[in-house]
Amino acid sequence: MRGQGSVWLKEGTGLLLIGVLLFLFLFAEFTQIQDSIPKSLLNVNTIFLSIVLEALPFVLLGVFVSALIQTFVAEETVQKFIPKNPLVAIVPAAILSAIFPVCECAIIPVVRRLMKKGMPLHIGVIFIVGAPILNPIVFAATYYAFQTTPSIAYARMGLAFVLAIVIGGITYAFFRNRDQLKWTTEELLDRPVESSGQETNKLKSTFYHASDEFFDMGKYLIMGAMIASLFQTFFDRSVLISMGTSDTASPLIMMGFGFILSLCSEADAFVASSFAHTFSTGSLLAFLVFGPMLDLKNTIMMFAYFRAKFVIGFMVIVTVSVYAIILIYQYLFL
């Protein structure tokens, strides 16, 4: 607990410093200092705050529900609903992934625990790519962020469901059910986890998990919002518009943004909506679908938990599948 407390203190101090900077920005807008601040920086401040303030309620809701699931739902309960046949289990697994309203970084430890208890590899992959998108919180956030074009929210859910099935099937074809996890010595020896002998209060545990996940996701949200605001303020609009109008190049560009920004799936729609007047609908959907499935932070986590060969194969499968499905969707519906 002492180590955990020091981590919270460090994270909390960082957020406090960010909060002070935000306050100074806001205060500057209502004082004479505003005249000495370049208009471009004030524009960065406005865009940044709008993204963060719109996204925070959904992030808070998501981390709390995620903590409830982590505390009260046993992994064995989930396994009971997965059919034994590996191919038959693909569609039910895609549907079942919707009960995990967690972001892409939070779902990986959950899937790792499930796989250690016998969940097949390709089913775990379906959970990894489907759970961060296929849940009511992400749908509500996307619908709210794109109120003028709600079709984007429906398209995001539909594409994510299809892609979860496709990616799960391709993973099974290439890797079957071969073990791709990294095991520690303690796990291989099946050593019990040390405890204090007292049963942990579940409500307290829920708040611990929620606070951990909030600090973890919050820093990525702030980082992504800042990069997006700087990008929109200082990037040459003419170049951006020329890239955004290309049906073949713009989805790849936005997929790259989704990977680098590493936004929480409960907040990325607000960043994507800020690009709505620059990039095409297909490229926005590429950003909204690809980012939660594969980004910088969950790639680092996967390399820590899975074998490198599998992670590289997973990255290739997800990238090719998302790009192909987006191109097909653009051709048929846009």
Side-chain angles (χ1 to χ4, degrees):
M1 291 299 295
R2 183 177 299 176
Q4 189 179 41
S6 64
V7 172
W8 290 350
L9 180 61
K10 186 184 297 182
E11 302 256 10
T13 303
L15 290 178
L16 179 62
L17 291 175
I18 293 173
V20 171
L21 292 175
L22 290 178
F23 173 79
L24 292 176
F25 266 128
L26 288 170
F27 183 76
E29 292 186 14
F30 298 98
T31 63
Q32 295 179 352
I33 302 176
Q34 180 180 2
D35 298 331
S36 62
I37 298 178
K39 296 295 183 181
S40 59
L41 292 181
L42 292 176
N43 187 50
V44 170
N45 172 49
T46 301
I47 298 174
F48 172 77
L49 288 176
S50 65
I51 293 173
V52 172
L53 293 177
E54 282 185 323
L56 271 180
F58 294 95
V59 173
L60 287 170
L61 179 61
V63 299
F64 188 71
V65 175
S66 170
L68 288 174
I69 289 176
Q70 187 167 350
T71 304
F72 293 99
V73 179
E75 288 88 346
E76 293 86 350
T77 304
V78 179
Q79 293 187 47
K80 293 179 181 178
F81 294 93
I82 300 177
K84 300 298 182 182
N85 187 293
L87 296 179
V88 175
I90 290 178
V91 175
I95 298 173
L96 194 61
S97 65
I99 72 170
F100 289 99
V102 293
C103 74
E104 57 277 12
C105 53
I107 191 61
I108 292 177
V110 175
V111 169
R112 179 172 176 256
R113 288 195 298 270
L114 290 169
M115 291 176 64
K116 286 181 176 179
K117 295 192 176 185
M119 173 180 279
L121 175 67
H122 69 295
I123 301 301
V125 167
I126 292 174
F127 275 68
I128 290 174
V129 299
I133 306 175
L134 295 173
N135 65 76
I137 296 175
V138 173
F139 174 78
T142 308
Y143 190 91
Y144 180 79
F146 290 94
Q147 296 182 58
T148 56
T149 53
S151 59
I152 291 180
Y154 296 108
R156 183 185 193 185
M157 298 296 112
L159 290 172
F161 183 77
V162 172
L163 280 165
I165 295 173
V166 171
I167 293 171
I170 296 175
T171 301
Y172 179 75
F174 279 94
F175 296 96
R176 298 296 175 177
N177 286 328
R178 294 189 294 271
D179 183 21
Q180 300 295 332
L181 288 173
K182 289 182 178 179
W183 294 78
T184 64
T185 304
E186 289 77 9
E187 291 166 342
L188 290 172
L189 294 176
D190 196 23
R191 293 179 180 171
V193 179
E194 294 181 1
S195 63
S196 61
Q198 298 179 350
E199 185 178 356
T200 304
N201 183 284
K202 288 192 174 183
L203 182 60
K204 185 184 294 185
S205 179
T206 299
F207 281 103
Y208 282 156
H209 289 309
S211 60
D212 280 341
E213 194 167 337
F214 175 75
F215 283 126
D216 187 55
M217 290 196 299
K219 62 187 177 185
Y220 293 113
L221 168 63
I222 291 172
M223 187 187 307
M226 179 58 70
I227 293 174
S229 59
L230 289 171
F231 184 86
Q232 293 183 70
T233 301
F234 295 106
F235 196 83
D236 190 342
R237 292 279 176 170
S238 60
V239 176
L240 196 62
I241 292 173
S242 65
M243 292 190 303
T245 54
S246 172
D247 290 336
T248 55
S250 59
L252 282 175
I253 293 169
M254 289 302 283
M255 287 166 64
F257 286 163
F259 181 84
I260 295 172
L261 294 181
S262 297
L263 295 173
C264 168
S265 58
E266 292 144 5
D268 59 358
F270 298 96
V271 175
S273 64
S274 65
F275 292 108
H277 300 293
T278 306
F279 282 88
S280 64
T281 299
S283 60
L284 293 177
L285 286 170
F287 176 87
L288 292 170
V289 172
F290 184 77
M293 293 183 178
L294 185 66
D295 63 23
L296 191 58
K297 64 179 186 297
N298 78 347
T299 299
I300 294 173
M301 293 182 68
M302 289 195 70
F303 272 112
Y305 291 152
F306 295 88
R307 297 176 181 176
K309 183 178 180 181
F310 166 73
V311 177
I312 294 172
F314 172 81
M315 294 174 68
V316 172
I317 291 172
V318 172
T319 302
V320 173
S321 299
V322 172
Y323 184 60
I325 291 294
I326 290 297
L327 292 182
I328 293 173
Y329 180 82
Q330 287 184 151
Y331 178 78
L332 294 178
F333 300 104
L334 299 179

